Amino acid sequence: MPDAEDVRTAALSLPDTTEKIAWSMPTFRVAGKMFATLPEEETSIAVRCPKEERDELVLAEPEKFWIADHEASFAWVRVRLAALDDVTELRDILADSWRQAAPSRLLDAHPELGVTGEA
């Protein structure tokens, strides 16, 4: 089961990522834009996720994904670390969130992380 240190290691391994404390918790940002948070209990993470996909994830795997009340109107989803298969799954989730926040110059410079900035 991945833990908070695995989250930190995986997030900071992504290009141009920094860690900043906000709302009394670690947040991870790409080029200054937040893509993940590690809430105070450090048993889950919050990541960017389009609302349509988020709702499908929660319905398909409610033991793994859920929507915090205060994030319901935003494109974020919570992920229970204990429900993840391994660190590889954690990295994939963080990379997906990173891609949603990263500027096109970084997407173009790092095609190994997924889609480029070109449509």
Side-chain angles (χ1 to χ4, degrees):
M1 164 184 91
D3 61 18
E5 199 50 43
D6 294 322
V7 171
R8 182 170 282 107
T9 300
L12 292 174
S13 74
L14 295 165
D16 204 19
T17 294
T18 58
E19 181 177 349
K20 179 180 179 181
I21 299 296
W23 306 288
S24 301
M25 71 179 123
T27 65
F28 300 93
R29 298 159 189 259
V30 56
K33 194 169 182 182
M34 192 165 43
F35 71 90
T37 67
L38 186 61
E40 58 283 342
E41 78 281 355
E42 296 188 344
T43 59
S44 68
I45 57 174
V47 292
R48 290 177 172 269
C49 185
K51 287 183 184 180
E52 308 77 36
E53 291 178 29
R54 174 188 74 177
D55 295 342
E56 290 175 19
L57 284 173
V58 171
L59 285 172
E61 297 184 84
E63 71 287 348
K64 189 177 290 186
F65 301 101
W66 91 99
I67 302 165
D69 291 341
H70 68 281
E71 295 166 346
S73 60
F74 302 100
W76 287 79
V77 68
R78 293 286 179 107
V79 184
R80 290 177 180 86
L81 295 176
L84 295 177
D85 295 331
D86 52 28
V87 174
T88 300
E89 185 178 20
L90 170 65
R91 285 185 189 133
D92 290 345
I93 289 168
L94 287 168
D96 185 56
S97 186
W98 179 91
R99 283 190 298 274
Q100 293 174 60
S104 58
R105 68 174 171 78
L106 283 174
L107 295 172
D108 291 340
H110 298 280
E112 75 280 5
L113 292 173
V115 298
T116 65
E118 298 173 8

